[in-house]
Amino acid sequence: MGNLKNTSFFNDTSSLVQSLIEGKELNKWQKHFCDVAGVFVCCVDGRGIPLTELGGEAGDIERLKRVIDNEQFQSMLLRVSKSTLEDQAIETTAYPNLRMAVISAKAEGKPVINWLVCGVLSDVSDVEEYEKEPLEGFSSMLTEKQFLAAVDALHDLTNALIGYKLSLVNAEAESRRSRYSEQEMGENLKRTEALTEVVQLLENEEAIEAVMNKLLNIVGNFLSISVGAVYRMSRDGNALDIITYWCGKGGSWGSEKDTNGLCPSFFQTDKPLVLSGNSMMGAAEREEMEKLGLKAVIIMPIMINDTVGMYVYFGEKAKERIWKLEEIKFLNDSVKILHSILTRRIQKNSLASSYASLETILDNVGSAVYVRSLATGKPLFVNRNMRHTFEKELKDGSLSELLDQGIRKDGGVSEIFHADKERWYDLHYTQIKWVDGNPVLLCSLYDITEKKIYQKKIEQQAYTDFLTGLYNRMCCERDLAKYVDEADKEKTKGALLYLDLDDFKHINDGLGHQYGDVLLKAISHSLQRIEGIENTCYRMGGDEFVIIIPPAEFERLEGIIASIKAIFIKPWFLKDADYYCTMSMGIVEYPSEGNVVHELIKKADIAMYEAKKRGKNRVAKYTDNMDTKSGKRLDMEKNMRDATAGGYKEFEVYYQPIINVQKKNLPCTGAEALIRWNNAELGFIPPSEFIPLAEYLGLINPIGNYVLREACNCCKRWNDNGHPDYKVNVNLSVVQLLQADIVEIIAHTVEETGISPHNLTLEVTESLAINDMERMKEILASIKKLGVRIALDDFGTGYSSLNHIREIPFDVIKVDQSFIRDLERDAYAKSFIKMVGELADAIGVNVCVEGVETKNQYEILSEMRVGLVQGYYFDRPMPREDFEKKYVPELQK
């Protein structure tokens, strides 16, 4: 349907509807519609009495009257006007290119106005299936798609007007019955006038952005809304592309305008979204609304070509607001009219195919866009962002050379670096058909410099030891692989030195952890000052260091070793006194002793233990026949690798019940999952021995994932068999937490096993404090978002315990068993547990005390603010089958 050129007679919706019914202005309106739509229309009232003559192109009317089948029309009219299921019908006729439609606008189920619409089509096929030849020579012809659009537009507009007339009539009747206030009637009138203003936008020929803004202004002022906008989602769905926005008096747009990196989840919806001040919503949605300063919001999607093309958004910032049904209906009707405007513009190619509109759209995207002819190589279009960012390159013709750095044969994405600007860009490129139909290369550039800087910072953090500033194990393995490859290719040698401080534990325990940290940092700085290894010193964890001697420095190996020994000859000044700390060192050469990173580190470690065996403060070079304690360790390593490769069958998950001591029957609330290793060759190996080895071998992650999956499966089984509130606790080491995909692993396990996230508690120890605390907080926050609970394990034995509770939102505090061993006699232990209980009450978390072994301990704890306990007094860790027999008896039936 074409644009309506003039709707001055739309000044008052109620008077227009009255005119339609009485036939006063009907001919004028009908003629206007026929002129712009290219169809033939006549109108009859609800009783079938004609209100107008057949309207359309004057020269075609008489001819059309002769070919219209009145019986068919009467049959269609009777069917549609009497039907409760349909209010319009479209049928073919005996002529291949003649279509007839009947529209019945009803009020309270009764027909008020009926339209007969005829259209002579210019695009038909299969004419031989019809009785008669196609009609020709008509001056008013249109496509079948245009005819359907005209019928839909006439249907929607008539129903909207009749609906509003009916609402006015009902309002007037209700007013007579109940003497409605003048204010209520005034609101209805204002609403009608406002909708009339919106309807008048149908004939507005301004740019679509201006039309949208006027609609936002009309609706926003009528409803006294703070802000409104029309937007679409970016291609990646992560950002909003604001087409136009509007603010009420005294209002401000705020943070929604800058949507880079800010895309609230509810801004992308397939259905209308209405959020009032009293709406039920999730914590995430409420937080997002608070960030945007919103008290209430309505978002309505606009469908274009069967998909959501854009959204209309209205937000209230000034006051709490509960949307009324009338307001929502008014907004919905306004958005429907905007949809009609967009549909007609698209049909006229003013949005999809117009170069001017395309230029406007591309000028308002967030990237720099460049279009180049594939035939001539000449630029056809550059958007505003491109002109502003690459003005110099466009003038001197060097832009194509810059882009060609990243362009390959097929379309895709690549990164390019602009050396002069020192900026990084993501280059997205593809071949498309341009507006003139010719093939072009479309390139869009996104500045990712800040992202690259951030990635470098994150990488630096990932590869750096937080305490000493040295590189960490991850970086050591990366660099060692590089140097081994270099030595292999160039037939040279390098060396790996593994250092372990002798009796560091005595200093750490005797003087305190803070002085142990001071010593570690002092040693690290001294190592970095040795010439030749300034950038190849690494802290592997605890008091262990690795130094890589690159092939270029191998000839200075003896001098470097001597310099390292010299560091430990002198005492260290700690806590106002001199303390001596020596080291043991193991040396392995590469690639002669191997070219696998983990094997080289292991051999250097074996040599270091050999040095310790010889009396400490020694240096030992690795040989194949070394007789060290590493024999058992190597056996354990081999068997552990076999056990993990064999599907973890040797690893068993035991369960120790967690008891609620505040209830009389001491109910079990779940269990802590504890791993055990029963090896076919070595027998039962305690966790204290094999878990550090698993961490050393890099196997703790797959083993930990196995335990997590098994524990979740068991808990889901308990939940489904009479114990929906049972929870399972699973320990996570710092090594596991540092996995890049740990959050995805947990989310996948929860989804795969079907466990309720709230029934899974992940225990982390205070040892995470020696790592990047900010990174830990970020990881734990992401885990919390999954709905999983977090417990702080071994509380009271680590660093800055209270500080951790303040910084990380734990759900459970687990007090270390060392505090209750002498609970009956130790006043400090009692005071500490009491303090923890009071603190937990204050911040709304649970307390669980570990290691309860006696009745006296249990009775003392039951009088304190301790809700949960576990320990041998209640039960030892046991296999799943034993646990279920005792605590999930339903499974035995």
Side-chain angles (χ1 to χ4, degrees):
M1 179 177 173
N3 286 337
L4 298 178
K5 303 292 184 183
N6 184 353
T7 54
S8 59
F9 55 90
F10 279 68
N11 291 333
D12 189 304
T13 302
S14 61
S15 63
L16 171 62
V17 174
Q18 188 65 31
S19 298
L20 286 174
I21 294 174
E22 296 176 0
K24 293 178 180 179
E25 294 291 337
L26 205 54
N27 283 309
K28 179 180 177 182
W29 190 88
Q30 175 180 295
K31 181 179 183 305
H32 183 77
F33 185 83
C34 293
D35 289 344
V36 297
V39 295
F40 301 88
V41 178
C42 72
C43 181
V44 300
D45 66 11
R47 296 165 294 175
I49 300 174
L51 298 177
T52 65
E53 292 293 330
L54 184 64
E57 188 65 33
D60 298 334
I61 292 176
E62 291 302 322
R63 185 180 173 195
L64 185 67
K65 286 181 178 180
R66 292 194 296 271
V67 300
I68 291 177
D69 186 341
N70 284 320
E71 290 185 4
Q72 182 180 3
F73 164 60
Q74 292 296 335
S75 174
M76 292 174 65
L77 177 60
L78 181 63
R79 186 179 81 242
V80 174
S81 62
K82 298 295 183 182
S83 174
T84 59
L85 300 178
E86 60 179 348
D87 57 4
Q88 75 175 43
I90 300 174
E91 293 186 0
T92 59
T93 65
Y95 296 92
N97 61 337
L98 177 61
R99 298 289 184 270
M100 290 176 57
V102 170
I103 302 170
S104 181
K106 300 174 183 178
E108 297 182 347
K110 298 178 181 179
V112 177
I113 295 176
N114 300 302
W115 293 100
L116 168 64
V117 186
C118 295
V120 182
L121 307 185
S122 60
D123 58 335
V124 293
S125 58
D126 300 327
V127 296
E128 61 275 3
E129 297 179 3
Y130 291 81
E131 298 176 15
K132 300 183 180 182
E133 294 295 322
L135 297 174
E136 297 180 350
F138 279 77
S139 57
S140 291
M141 299 183 74
L142 70 174
T143 66
E144 184 163 10
K145 185 176 181 181
Q146 290 172 330
F147 176 73
L148 296 176
V151 172
D152 288 341
L154 181 57
H155 170 274
D156 292 344
L157 186 55
T158 304
N159 277 338
L161 296 176
I162 293 300
Y164 268 90
K165 176 58 181 177
L166 179 61
S167 69
L168 289 178
V169 172
N170 288 338
E172 291 171 359
E174 184 65 22
S175 177
R176 287 193 297 271
R177 288 193 301 269
S178 60
R179 297 183 180 179
Y180 268 176
S181 68
E182 292 182 3
Q183 180 181 1
E184 185 73 17
M185 296 297 294
E187 282 296 318
N188 288 334
L189 180 59
K190 288 179 182 178
R191 187 177 295 110
T192 301
E193 291 173 346
L195 188 70
T196 300
E197 289 186 64
V198 174
V199 171
Q200 288 177 341
L201 294 176
L202 283 164
E203 62 179 34
N204 193 303
E205 294 294 336
E206 294 180 74
I208 190 64
E209 293 87 350
V211 175
M212 291 175 175
N213 196 269
K214 286 184 177 180
L215 185 143
L216 295 176
N217 183 54
I218 294 169
V219 174
N221 282 324
F222 170 66
L223 296 179
S224 299
I225 298 174
S226 300
V227 292
V230 180
Y231 66 90
R232 63 167 64 89
M233 300 302 300
S234 62
R235 280 190 177 183
D236 58 11
N238 293 329
L240 309 183
D241 177 10
I242 304 297
I243 299 172
T244 186
Y245 69 93
W246 167 89
C247 299
K249 290 183 180 179
S252 62
W253 176 246
S255 59
E256 299 100 312
K257 184 178 180 183
D258 181 12
T259 56
N260 291 331
L262 177 62
C263 181
S265 59
F266 58 79
F267 267 52
Q268 186 173 6
T269 174
D270 293 334
K271 298 178 181 178
L273 173 71
V274 180
L275 294 178
S276 298
N278 63 348
S279 294
M280 297 294 292
M281 64 183 81
E285 284 183 336
R286 191 168 294 280
E287 182 181 353
E288 289 174 336
M289 287 188 65
E290 289 175 356
K291 284 183 180 178
L292 300 175
L294 291 171
K295 309 290 186 183
V297 66
I298 289 182
I299 297 175
M300 294 188 174
I302 298 178
M303 304 297 291
I304 298 176
N305 295 329
D306 298 326
T307 60
V308 178
M310 56 188 70
Y311 303 83
V312 180
Y313 149 79
F314 293 98
E316 179 59 63
K317 292 185 169 186
K319 58 185 181 298
E320 293 293 334
R321 183 164 192 155
I322 299 175
W323 299 105
K324 299 177 182 177
L325 183 60
E326 295 82 1
E327 294 174 335
I328 297 171
K329 186 176 184 302
F330 175 79
L331 288 171
N332 187 54
D333 289 340
S334 300
V335 171
K336 282 184 178 179
I337 293 172
L338 176 58
H339 177 260
S340 296
I341 293 171
L342 289 169
T343 302
R344 288 165 49 201
R345 292 285 181 105
I346 291 172
Q347 289 170 355
K348 292 177 65 179
N349 294 326
S350 62
L351 266 178
S353 301
S354 167
Y355 181 84
S357 295
L358 181 61
E359 182 178 9
T360 302
I361 293 171
L362 294 179
D363 270 341
N364 285 279
V365 299
S367 61
V369 178
Y370 177 82
V371 180
R372 184 172 72 192
S373 169
L374 287 176
T376 65
K378 293 181 179 180
L380 300 179
F381 172 81
V382 290
N383 74 343
R384 188 182 338 173
N385 194 324
M386 179 68 76
R387 292 192 297 271
H388 173 74
T389 307
F390 297 97
E391 180 180 5
K392 175 180 176 296
E393 292 77 2
L394 287 167
K395 286 181 179 178
D396 61 25
S398 61
L399 183 60
S400 289
E401 182 179 345
L402 175 67
L403 297 177
D404 288 341
Q405 293 179 23
I407 294 176
R408 305 293 180 264
K409 185 175 181 181
D410 298 323
V413 181
S414 62
E415 288 184 0
I416 60 175
F417 179 67
H418 195 305
D420 293 340
K421 293 179 180 288
E422 295 185 348
R423 308 292 292 180
W424 283 93
Y425 298 92
D426 258 349
L427 170 62
H428 297 248
Y429 57 96
T430 186
Q431 296 181 13
I432 63 169
K433 294 281 188 181
W434 194 230
V435 289
D436 58 2
N438 291 317
V440 297
L441 179 68
L442 172 65
C443 302
S444 56
L445 289 171
Y446 297 84
D447 192 330
I448 59 168
T449 305
E450 296 304 319
K451 184 178 88 170
K452 296 289 283 188
I453 293 173
Y454 179 72
Q455 286 177 339
K456 185 175 181 180
K457 179 182 177 182
I458 294 299
E459 182 177 320
Q460 183 70 19
Q461 292 174 347
Y463 287 139
T464 302
D465 177 63
F466 181 71
L467 175 65
T468 64
L470 294 180
Y471 296 124
N472 60 15
R473 175 185 287 272
M474 191 185 305
C475 187
C476 172
E477 293 173 354
R478 182 196 66 176
D479 292 351
L480 182 57
K482 179 183 69 175
Y483 288 126
V484 170
D485 286 344
E486 178 186 330
D488 260 339
K489 292 176 182 177
E490 300 181 5
K491 305 302 180 185
T492 55
K493 281 186 177 183
L496 184 70
L497 315 183
Y498 204 116
L499 281 70
D500 184 87
L501 304 185
D502 298 326
D503 300 321
F504 173 74
K505 186 176 185 299
H506 296 166
I507 293 177
N508 211 30
D509 294 344
L511 301 182
H513 290 295
Q514 66 271 34
Y515 289 101
D517 291 346
V518 169
L519 176 59
L520 292 174
K521 288 190 278 189
I523 292 172
S524 300
H525 297 159
S526 298
L527 291 173
Q528 285 181 302
R529 287 195 290 267
I530 297 175
E531 186 177 355
I533 59 171
E534 297 93 334
N535 297 312
T536 55
C537 299
Y538 310 84
R539 183 183 178 214
M540 304 299 278
D543 60 347
E544 296 182 345
F545 300 84
V546 162
I547 297 168
I548 298 176
I549 310 297
E553 304 293 339
F554 183 74
E555 60 183 19
R556 303 176 55 189
L557 175 61
E558 296 304 324
I560 292 172
I561 293 173
S563 298
I564 294 173
K565 287 181 178 179
I567 292 175
F568 294 92
I569 292 175
K570 299 176 182 179
W572 306 91
F573 188 73
L574 302 170
K575 205 173 184 179
D576 300 325
D578 287 336
Y579 291 88
Y580 285 90
C581 179
T582 60
M583 63 84 195
S584 298
M585 182 193 301
I587 304 172
V588 64
E589 294 183 2
Y590 62 83
S592 57
E593 296 292 347
N595 56 9
V596 178
V597 168
H598 292 295
E599 292 294 328
L600 287 171
I601 294 175
K602 182 186 70 174
K603 290 177 179 179
D605 189 16
I606 291 173
M608 180 268 293
Y609 277 107
E610 176 65 18
K612 282 188 179 292
K613 181 181 177 182
R614 294 175 184 173
K616 301 182 181 179
N617 197 22
R618 307 286 177 120
V619 175
K621 193 171 182 180
Y622 176 80
T623 60
D624 289 336
N625 58 355
M626 276 186 169
D627 181 16
T628 68
K629 290 187 290 185
S630 62
K632 179 183 177 183
R633 190 172 170 209
L634 288 174
D635 288 341
M636 284 178 58
E637 177 181 332
K638 175 185 176 300
N639 282 278
M640 180 173 285
R641 291 189 185 279
D642 292 342
T644 54
Y648 309 96
K649 294 179 181 178
E650 293 185 353
F651 295 101
E652 301 176 19
V653 181
Y654 278 47
Y655 298 91
Q656 184 175 34
I658 299 174
I659 306 299
N660 186 338
V661 296
Q662 294 300 319
K663 294 188 178 180
K664 291 184 178 180
N665 59 345
L666 300 177
C668 173
T669 64
E672 179 178 358
L674 301 165
I675 188 171
R676 299 292 185 261
W677 183 20
N678 191 2
N679 181 252
E681 293 184 13
L682 304 177
F684 192 85
I685 302 170
S688 59
E689 290 187 23
F690 75 80
I691 288 180
L693 178 61
E695 291 182 346
Y696 173 79
L697 297 175
L699 297 175
I700 192 65
N701 291 337
I703 294 174
N705 296 342
Y706 167 76
V707 173
L708 176 64
R709 187 167 56 254
E710 288 294 303
C712 288
N713 275 324
C714 282
C715 187
K716 180 66 167 64
R717 175 181 165 95
W718 305 335
N719 297 155
D720 292 343
N721 287 273
H723 299 276
D725 295 326
Y726 268 18
K727 296 174 173 56
V728 67
N729 290 26
V730 180
N731 291 280
L732 279 188
S733 70
V734 175
V735 176
Q736 288 176 273
L737 278 173
L738 289 175
Q739 295 178 91
D741 58 347
I742 182 62
V743 178
E744 288 77 8
I745 290 172
I746 295 170
H748 175 73
T749 303
V750 169
E751 180 180 0
E752 179 185 44
T753 60
I755 187 176
S756 169
H758 187 70
N759 287 344
L760 173 61
T761 303
L762 299 178
E763 298 188 9
V764 297
T765 67
E766 289 187 273
S767 61
L768 58 81
I770 65 172
N771 292 275
D772 185 343
M773 195 61 187
E774 289 302 317
R775 185 177 176 196
M776 286 298 172
K777 286 195 293 183
E778 182 180 343
I779 293 171
L780 293 177
S782 297
I783 294 174
K784 285 276 290 180
K785 286 181 180 178
L786 301 175
V788 175
R789 291 154 44 93
I790 303 294
L792 178 60
D793 198 13
D794 300 336
F795 180 71
T797 63
Y799 302 80
S800 307
S801 304
L802 296 178
N803 198 38
H804 295 165
I805 296 177
R806 181 177 62 84
E807 292 184 340
I808 300 175
F810 292 108
D811 299 284
V812 181
I813 298 174
K814 300 194 72 174
V815 178
D816 187 70
Q817 58 185 352
S818 61
F819 285 95
I820 69 163
R821 285 178 185 146
D822 299 314
L823 189 61
E824 298 93 333
R825 300 180 299 277
D826 191 340
Y828 171 77
K830 291 180 182 178
S831 299
F832 178 80
I833 295 175
K834 182 179 180 183
M835 179 273 294
V836 174
E838 292 173 350
L839 173 64
D841 274 353
I843 62 177
V845 302
N846 294 322
V847 173
C848 179
V849 176
E850 300 177 293
V852 179
E853 297 183 353
T854 68
K855 183 178 181 181
N856 286 340
Q857 291 172 345
Y858 152 65
E859 289 175 346
I860 293 172
L861 291 174
S862 64
E863 298 299 323
M864 298 182 179
R865 295 186 178 182
V866 173
L868 305 172
V869 298
Q870 65 184 99
Y872 288 0
Y873 175 70
F874 297 99
D875 254 323
R876 293 174 176 271
M878 61 188 77
R880 175 181 62 81
E881 294 82 1
D882 295 343
F883 180 88
E884 291 178 349
K885 284 179 183 178
K886 186 170 184 179
Y887 295 100
V888 195
E890 293 83 357
L891 290 173
Q892 312 306 315
K893 297 178 182 178

